[in-house]
Amino acid sequence: DVKVTQSSRYLVKRTGEKVFLECVQDMDHENMFWYRQDPGLGLRLIYFSYDVKMKEKGDIPEGYSVSREKKERFSLILESASTNQTSMYLCASNRAYSNQPQHFGDGTRLSIL
Amino acid sequence: AQKITQTQPGMFVQEKEAVTLDCTYDTSDQSYGLFWYKQPSSGEMIFLIYQGSYDEQNATEGRYSLNFQKARKSANLVISASQLGDSAMYFCAMRDLNAGGTSYGKLTFGQGTILTVHP
């Protein structure tokens, strides 16, 4: 079974802090994704990566950056956290050039105080 | 740009009855895929069913089936014989299968429908 692991289920940080959300997958997937989920808005894509050190902006990249130094790990970085970044963050991965679904982690509920 | 619309914020169904969750999509692409995911209150996203735009038959997976009407651009999820454990948020999503000649697998999601199954 594919396993996508997010480092924290719940996280509380303060405004202005630099926040790291980590995601690791164990199925050698090329593609990895970060979404945020807000009520009434569904899931919105922040960033994705299709290879090591490669990244592409999604629909809402402002205020975020990402890092992919190894194939299995994709990190989301909030450079200076703000209260409007309080949300549920979901990481996903899938194999390139296939119709396979994305496999998701359990999500991180991030609160910025 | 792709767009997914789920017009039902909430749905209620009696246990053991069937329920249909609506999903319409908008795309100019000829080759695309449609997915349904379930998200229980615990938060994880569970893949349920997939339909490719060129698939001639409606997809089925156990109690889940997809009513795919390409001309109407709709991909409704049908859950038969509802169970209490089906209570969850359900998301419809679409993927462009020809993004720039490669498929990065990016998904566009709808807003979701909360399904409540009553005993």
Side-chain angles (χ1 to χ4, degrees), chain B residues 44-109:
Chain B
E44 73 272 26
M45 294 282 281
I46 302 166
F47 165 70
L48 296 178
I49 196 167
Y50 167 80
Q51 178 87 42
S53 58
Y54 290 114
D55 294 340
E56 293 187 354
Q57 303 230 341
N58 286 341
T60 60
E61 287 287 348
R63 293 185 300 110
Y64 304 108
S65 61
L66 206 151
N67 183 2
F68 181 48
Q69 298 187 42
K70 195 170 180 178
R72 298 180 61 184
K73 293 190 174 178
S74 74
N76 299 338
L77 177 70
V78 181
I79 305 175
S80 62
S82 297
Q83 303 172 355
L84 295 177
D86 293 334
S87 292
M89 175 81 87
Y90 288 81
F91 288 101
C92 179
M94 179 166 61
R95 180 163 82 203
D96 174 10
L97 299 179
N98 286 315
T102 61
S103 177
Y104 296 138
K106 289 188 291 180
L107 289 174
T108 300
F109 283 85

Coordinates of all heavy atoms in Angstrom, one line a residue, chain B residues 44-109:
Chain B
E44 N -8.5 12.1 6.5 CA -7.7 11.5 5.3 C -8.6 11.4 4.1 O -9.8 11.4 4.2 CB -7.2 10.1 5.7 CG -8.3 9.0 5.8 CD -8.9 8.9 7.1 OE1 -9.0 9.9 7.9 OE2 -9.4 7.8 7.4
M45 N -8.0 11.5 2.9 CA -8.7 11.5 1.7 C -8.6 10.1 1.1 O -7.5 9.6 0.9 CB -8.1 12.5 0.7 CG -8.2 13.9 1.0 SD -9.8 14.5 0.7 CE -9.7 14.8 -1.1
I46 N -9.7 9.5 0.8 CA -9.8 8.1 0.4 C -10.3 8.1 -1.1 O -11.4 8.6 -1.3 CB -10.7 7.3 1.3 CG1 -10.3 7.3 2.7 CG2 -10.8 5.8 0.8 CD1 -11.3 6.8 3.7
F47 N -9.5 7.5 -2.0 CA -9.9 7.4 -3.4 C -11.0 6.4 -3.5 O -10.9 5.3 -3.0 CB -8.7 7.0 -4.2 CG -9.1 6.5 -5.6 CD1 -9.6 7.4 -6.5 CD2 -9.0 5.2 -5.9 CE1 -9.9 7.0 -7.8 CE2 -9.3 4.8 -7.2 CZ -9.8 5.6 -8.1
L48 N -12.1 6.8 -4.2 CA -13.2 5.9 -4.4 C -13.3 5.3 -5.8 O -13.5 4.1 -6.0 CB -14.5 6.6 -4.1 CG -14.7 7.1 -2.7 CD1 -16.1 7.9 -2.6 CD2 -14.7 6.0 -1.7
I49 N -13.2 6.1 -6.9 CA -13.6 5.7 -8.2 C -13.0 6.6 -9.2 O -12.9 7.8 -9.0 CB -15.1 5.5 -8.3 CG1 -15.5 4.7 -9.5 CG2 -15.8 6.9 -8.3 CD1 -17.0 4.2 -9.5
Y50 N -12.7 6.1 -10.4 CA -12.1 6.9 -11.5 C -12.9 6.6 -12.8 O -13.3 5.5 -13.1 CB -10.7 6.5 -11.7 CG -10.0 7.0 -13.0 CD1 -9.6 8.3 -13.1 CD2 -9.9 6.2 -14.1 CE1 -9.0 8.8 -14.2 CE2 -9.3 6.6 -15.2 CZ -8.9 7.9 -15.3 OH -8.3 8.4 -16.5
Q51 N -13.0 7.7 -13.6 CA -13.6 7.5 -14.9 C -12.8 8.3 -15.9 O -12.6 9.5 -15.7 CB -15.1 8.1 -14.9 CG -15.8 8.1 -16.3 CD -16.5 6.8 -16.5 OE1 -17.2 6.2 -15.6 NE2 -16.5 6.3 -17.7
G52 N -12.3 7.7 -17.0 CA -11.6 8.4 -18.0 C -12.6 8.9 -19.1 O -13.7 8.3 -19.3
S53 N -12.2 10.0 -19.7 CA -13.1 10.6 -20.7 C -13.4 9.8 -21.9 O -14.5 9.9 -22.5 CB -12.6 12.0 -21.1 OG -11.3 11.8 -21.7
Y54 N -12.5 8.8 -22.2 CA -12.8 7.9 -23.3 C -13.4 6.6 -22.9 O -13.6 5.7 -23.8 CB -11.5 7.7 -24.1 CG -11.0 9.0 -24.8 CD1 -9.9 9.7 -24.4 CD2 -11.8 9.5 -25.8 CE1 -9.5 10.8 -25.1 CE2 -11.4 10.7 -26.5 CZ -10.2 11.3 -26.1 OH -9.9 12.5 -26.8
D55 N -13.6 6.4 -21.6 CA -14.2 5.1 -21.2 C -15.6 5.1 -21.6 O -16.4 6.0 -21.4 CB -14.1 5.0 -19.7 CG -12.7 4.9 -19.2 OD1 -11.8 4.5 -20.0 OD2 -12.4 5.1 -18.0
E56 N -16.0 4.0 -22.3 CA -17.4 3.9 -22.8 C -18.4 3.4 -21.8 O -19.6 3.7 -21.9 CB -17.4 2.9 -24.0 CG -16.6 3.5 -25.2 CD -16.8 2.6 -26.5 OE1 -17.4 1.6 -26.4 OE2 -16.3 3.0 -27.5
Q57 N -17.9 2.7 -20.8 CA -18.8 2.2 -19.8 C -18.6 3.0 -18.5 O -17.5 3.5 -18.2 CB -18.4 0.8 -19.4 CG -18.5 -0.2 -20.6 CD -19.3 -1.4 -20.3 OE1 -19.5 -1.7 -19.2 NE2 -19.8 -2.1 -21.3
N58 N -19.7 3.2 -17.7 CA -19.6 3.9 -16.5 C -18.8 3.0 -15.5 O -19.0 1.8 -15.4 CB -21.0 4.1 -15.9 CG -21.8 5.2 -16.6 OD1 -21.2 6.0 -17.3 ND2 -23.1 5.2 -16.4
A59 N -17.9 3.7 -14.7 CA -17.1 3.0 -13.8 C -17.9 2.5 -12.6 O -18.9 3.2 -12.2 CB -16.0 3.9 -13.3
T60 N -17.6 1.4 -12.0 CA -18.2 0.8 -10.8 C -17.1 0.3 -9.9 O -16.1 -0.3 -10.4 CB -19.2 -0.3 -11.1 OG1 -18.5 -1.3 -11.8 CG2 -20.3 0.2 -12.0
E61 N -17.3 0.5 -8.6 CA -16.4 -0.1 -7.6 C -17.2 -0.5 -6.4 O -17.5 0.4 -5.6 CB -15.3 0.9 -7.2 CG -14.2 1.2 -8.2 CD -13.2 0.1 -8.3 OE1 -13.2 -0.9 -7.5 OE2 -12.4 0.1 -9.3
G62 N -17.6 -1.7 -6.3 CA -18.4 -2.2 -5.2 C -19.8 -1.4 -5.2 O -20.5 -1.4 -6.1
R63 N -20.0 -0.7 -4.1 CA -21.3 0.0 -3.9 C -21.2 1.4 -4.6 O -22.3 2.1 -4.6 CB -21.6 0.2 -2.4 CG -21.9 -1.1 -1.7 CD -22.4 -0.8 -0.3 NE -21.4 -0.1 0.5 CZ -21.5 1.1 1.0 NH1 -22.5 1.8 0.7 NH2 -20.5 1.6 1.7
Y64 N -20.1 1.7 -5.2 CA -19.9 3.0 -5.8 C -20.0 2.9 -7.3 O -19.4 2.0 -7.9 CB -18.6 3.7 -5.5 CG -18.3 3.8 -4.0 CD1 -17.4 3.0 -3.4 CD2 -19.0 4.8 -3.3 CE1 -17.2 3.2 -2.0 CE2 -18.8 4.9 -1.9 CZ -17.9 4.1 -1.3 OH -17.6 4.3 0.0
S65 N -20.8 3.8 -8.0 CA -20.8 3.8 -9.4 C -20.8 5.3 -9.9 O -21.2 6.2 -9.1 CB -22.0 3.0 -10.0 OG -23.2 3.6 -9.6
L66 N -20.3 5.5 -11.1 CA -20.2 6.8 -11.6 C -21.2 7.0 -12.8 O -21.0 6.2 -13.7 CB -18.8 7.1 -12.0 CG -18.3 8.6 -11.9 CD1 -16.8 8.7 -11.6 CD2 -18.7 9.2 -13.2
N67 N -22.1 7.9 -12.7 CA -23.0 8.1 -13.8 C -22.4 9.2 -14.7 O -22.5 10.4 -14.4 CB -24.4 8.5 -13.2 CG -25.4 8.8 -14.3 OD1 -25.1 8.6 -15.5 ND2 -26.6 9.2 -13.9
F68 N -21.7 8.8 -15.7 CA -20.9 9.7 -16.5 C -21.7 10.0 -17.8 O -22.1 9.2 -18.6 CB -19.6 9.0 -17.0 CG -18.7 9.8 -17.8 CD1 -18.4 11.1 -17.5 CD2 -18.1 9.3 -19.0 CE1 -17.5 11.9 -18.3 CE2 -17.3 10.0 -19.8 CZ -17.0 11.3 -19.4
Q69 N -22.0 11.3 -17.9 CA -22.8 11.8 -19.1 C -21.9 12.9 -19.7 O -21.9 14.1 -19.3 CB -24.1 12.4 -18.7 CG -25.0 11.3 -18.0 CD -26.4 11.8 -17.8 OE1 -27.0 12.5 -18.6 NE2 -27.0 11.4 -16.6
K70 N -21.1 12.5 -20.7 CA -20.1 13.3 -21.3 C -20.7 14.6 -21.9 O -20.2 15.7 -21.8 CB -19.3 12.5 -22.3 CG -18.0 13.2 -22.7 CD -17.2 12.1 -23.5 CE -15.9 12.8 -24.0 NZ -15.0 11.7 -24.7
A71 N -21.8 14.4 -22.7 CA -22.4 15.6 -23.4 C -22.9 16.6 -22.4 O -22.8 17.8 -22.7 CB -23.5 15.1 -24.3
R72 N -23.3 16.2 -21.2 CA -23.8 17.1 -20.2 C -22.7 17.5 -19.3 O -22.9 18.4 -18.4 CB -24.9 16.5 -19.4 CG -26.2 16.1 -20.3 CD -27.2 15.5 -19.4 NE -27.7 16.4 -18.4 CZ -28.6 16.1 -17.5 NH1 -29.1 14.9 -17.4 NH2 -29.0 16.9 -16.5
K73 N -21.5 17.0 -19.5 CA -20.4 17.3 -18.6 C -20.7 17.0 -17.1 O -20.5 17.9 -16.3 CB -19.8 18.7 -18.8 CG -19.2 18.8 -20.2 CD -18.5 20.2 -20.4 CE -17.8 20.2 -21.7 NZ -17.1 21.5 -22.0
S74 N -21.3 15.9 -16.9 CA -21.6 15.5 -15.5 C -21.0 14.2 -15.1 O -20.9 13.3 -16.0 CB -23.1 15.6 -15.2 OG -23.7 14.5 -15.8
A75 N -20.6 14.0 -13.9 CA -20.0 12.8 -13.4 C -20.5 12.5 -12.0 O -19.8 12.7 -11.0 CB -18.5 12.9 -13.4
N76 N -21.8 12.1 -11.9 CA -22.4 12.0 -10.6 C -22.0 10.7 -9.9 O -21.9 9.6 -10.6 CB -23.9 12.1 -10.7 CG -24.4 13.4 -11.2 OD1 -23.7 14.4 -11.1 ND2 -25.6 13.4 -11.8
L77 N -21.8 10.7 -8.6 CA -21.4 9.5 -7.8 C -22.7 8.9 -7.3 O -23.5 9.6 -6.6 CB -20.5 9.8 -6.7 CG -20.1 8.7 -5.8 CD1 -19.2 7.7 -6.5 CD2 -19.4 9.2 -4.5
V78 N -22.9 7.6 -7.5 CA -24.1 6.9 -6.9 C -23.6 6.0 -5.9 O -22.7 5.1 -6.1 CB -24.9 6.2 -8.0 CG1 -26.1 5.5 -7.4 CG2 -25.3 7.2 -9.1
I79 N -24.1 6.1 -4.6 CA -23.7 5.1 -3.6 C -25.0 4.3 -3.3 O -26.1 4.8 -3.0 CB -23.3 5.8 -2.3 CG1 -22.2 6.8 -2.6 CG2 -22.9 4.8 -1.2 CD1 -21.8 7.7 -1.3
S80 N -24.9 3.0 -3.5 CA -26.0 2.1 -3.3 C -26.0 1.6 -1.8 O -24.9 1.5 -1.2 CB -26.0 1.0 -4.3 OG -24.9 0.2 -4.1
A81 N -27.2 1.3 -1.3 CA -27.3 0.7 0.0 C -26.4 1.4 1.0 O -25.4 0.8 1.6 CB -26.8 -0.8 -0.1
S82 N -26.7 2.6 1.3 CA -25.9 3.5 2.2 C -25.7 2.9 3.5 O -26.6 2.2 4.1 CB -26.6 4.9 2.3 OG -26.6 5.5 1.1
Q83 N -24.5 3.1 4.1 CA -24.2 2.6 5.4 C -23.8 3.8 6.3 O -23.4 4.9 5.8 CB -23.0 1.6 5.3 CG -23.2 0.5 4.5 CD -22.0 -0.4 4.2 OE1 -20.9 0.0 4.7 NE2 -22.2 -1.5 3.6
L84 N -23.9 3.6 7.6 CA -23.6 4.7 8.5 C -22.2 5.2 8.3 O -21.9 6.4 8.4 CB -23.8 4.3 10.0 CG -25.2 3.9 10.4 CD1 -25.3 3.5 11.8 CD2 -26.2 5.1 10.2
G85 N -21.3 4.3 8.0 CA -19.9 4.7 7.7 C -19.7 5.5 6.5 O -18.6 6.0 6.2
D86 N -20.7 5.7 5.6 CA -20.6 6.5 4.4 C -20.7 8.0 4.8 O -20.4 8.8 3.9 CB -21.7 6.1 3.4 CG -21.5 4.7 2.8 OD1 -20.4 4.2 2.8 OD2 -22.5 4.1 2.4
S87 N -21.1 8.3 6.0 CA -21.2 9.7 6.4 C -19.8 10.3 6.3 O -18.9 9.9 7.0 CB -21.7 9.8 7.8 OG -23.1 9.4 7.9
A88 N -19.6 11.4 5.5 CA -18.3 12.0 5.2 C -18.5 13.1 4.2 O -19.6 13.3 3.7 CB -17.4 10.9 4.6
M89 N -17.4 13.8 4.0 CA -17.4 14.8 2.9 C -16.9 14.0 1.6 O -16.0 13.2 1.7 CB -16.4 15.9 3.2 CG -16.1 16.9 2.1 SD -17.4 18.2 2.0 CE -16.8 19.3 3.2
Y90 N -17.5 14.4 0.5 CA -17.2 13.7 -0.8 C -16.8 14.8 -1.8 O -17.4 15.8 -2.0 CB -18.4 13.0 -1.3 CG -18.7 11.7 -0.6 CD1 -19.4 11.8 0.6 CD2 -18.2 10.5 -1.0 CE1 -19.6 10.6 1.4 CE2 -18.4 9.3 -0.3 CZ -19.1 9.4 0.9 OH -19.4 8.3 1.6
F91 N -15.6 14.6 -2.4 CA -15.1 15.5 -3.4 C -15.0 14.9 -4.8 O -14.6 13.7 -4.9 CB -13.7 15.9 -3.0 CG -13.6 16.8 -1.8 CD1 -13.2 16.3 -0.6 CD2 -13.9 18.2 -1.9 CE1 -13.2 17.2 0.5 CE2 -13.8 19.0 -0.8 CZ -13.4 18.5 0.4
C92 N -15.4 15.7 -5.8 CA -15.2 15.3 -7.2 C -14.0 16.1 -7.6 O -13.8 17.3 -7.2 CB -16.5 15.7 -7.9 SG -16.4 15.4 -9.7
A93 N -13.2 15.5 -8.5 CA -12.0 16.1 -9.0 C -11.7 15.7 -10.4 O -12.2 14.7 -10.9 CB -10.8 15.8 -8.1
M94 N -11.0 16.6 -11.1 CA -10.7 16.3 -12.5 C -9.2 16.5 -12.8 O -8.6 17.4 -12.2 CB -11.5 17.3 -13.4 CG -11.3 17.1 -14.9 SD -12.5 17.9 -15.9 CE -12.3 19.6 -15.4
R95 N -8.7 15.7 -13.7 CA -7.3 15.8 -14.1 C -7.2 15.9 -15.6 O -7.8 15.1 -16.3 CB -6.5 14.7 -13.6 CG -5.0 14.7 -14.0 CD -4.3 13.8 -13.1 NE -4.3 12.4 -13.6 CZ -4.1 11.4 -12.8 NH1 -3.8 11.5 -11.5 NH2 -4.1 10.1 -13.3
D96 N -6.5 16.9 -16.1 CA -6.1 17.0 -17.5 C -5.1 16.0 -17.8 O -4.0 16.0 -17.2 CB -5.6 18.4 -17.8 CG -5.1 18.6 -19.2 OD1 -5.4 17.7 -20.0 OD2 -4.5 19.6 -19.5
L97 N -5.4 15.1 -18.8 CA -4.4 14.0 -19.1 C -3.4 14.4 -20.1 O -2.6 13.6 -20.5 CB -5.2 12.8 -19.5 CG -6.1 12.2 -18.4 CD1 -6.8 11.0 -19.0 CD2 -5.3 11.8 -17.2
N98 N -3.5 15.6 -20.6 CA -2.6 16.0 -21.7 C -2.0 17.4 -21.4 O -1.8 18.2 -22.2 CB -3.3 16.1 -23.0 CG -3.6 14.8 -23.6 OD1 -2.8 13.9 -23.6 ND2 -4.8 14.6 -24.1
A99 N -1.6 17.6 -20.1 CA -1.0 18.9 -19.7 C 0.3 19.0 -20.4 O 1.3 18.4 -20.0 CB -0.9 18.9 -18.2
G100 N 0.4 19.8 -21.4 CA 1.7 20.1 -22.1 C 2.4 18.9 -22.6 O 3.6 18.9 -22.6
G101 N 1.7 17.8 -22.9 CA 2.3 16.6 -23.4 C 2.7 15.7 -22.3 O 3.2 14.6 -22.6
T102 N 2.7 16.1 -21.1 CA 3.0 15.2 -20.0 C 1.8 15.3 -19.0 O 1.0 16.2 -19.1 CB 4.3 15.6 -19.3 OG1 4.1 16.9 -18.7 CG2 5.5 15.6 -20.2
S103 N 1.8 14.4 -18.1 CA 0.7 14.4 -17.1 C 1.3 14.6 -15.7 O 1.9 13.7 -15.2 CB -0.1 13.2 -17.2 OG -1.1 13.2 -16.2
Y104 N 1.2 15.8 -15.2 CA 1.7 15.9 -13.8 C 0.7 15.5 -12.8 O 1.0 15.5 -11.6 CB 2.1 17.4 -13.6 CG 3.2 17.9 -14.4 CD1 3.1 19.2 -15.0 CD2 4.3 17.2 -14.7 CE1 4.2 19.7 -15.8 CE2 5.4 17.6 -15.4 CZ 5.3 18.9 -16.0 OH 6.3 19.4 -16.8
G105 N -0.5 15.1 -13.3 CA -1.4 14.6 -12.4 C -2.1 15.6 -11.5 O -2.7 15.3 -10.5
K106 N -2.0 16.9 -11.9 CA -2.7 17.9 -11.1 C -4.2 17.7 -11.1 O -4.8 17.4 -12.1 CB -2.4 19.3 -11.7 CG -1.0 19.8 -11.5 CD -0.8 21.2 -11.9 CE -1.0 21.4 -13.4 NZ -0.9 22.8 -13.8
L107 N -4.8 17.9 -9.9 CA -6.3 17.7 -9.8 C -6.9 19.1 -9.5 O -6.3 19.9 -8.8 CB -6.6 16.8 -8.7 CG -6.3 15.3 -8.9 CD1 -6.6 14.5 -7.6 CD2 -7.1 14.7 -10.0
T108 N -8.1 19.3 -10.1 CA -8.9 20.4 -9.8 C -10.1 19.8 -9.0 O -10.8 18.9 -9.5 CB -9.4 21.1 -11.0 OG1 -8.3 21.6 -11.7 CG2 -10.3 22.3 -10.6
F109 N -10.4 20.4 -7.8 CA -11.4 19.8 -6.9 C -12.7 20.7 -6.9 O -12.6 21.9 -7.1 CB -10.9 19.7 -5.5 CG -10.0 18.6 -5.2 CD1 -8.6 18.7 -5.5 CD2 -10.5 17.4 -4.7 CE1 -7.8 17.6 -5.3 CE2 -9.6 16.3 -4.5 CZ -8.3 16.4 -4.8

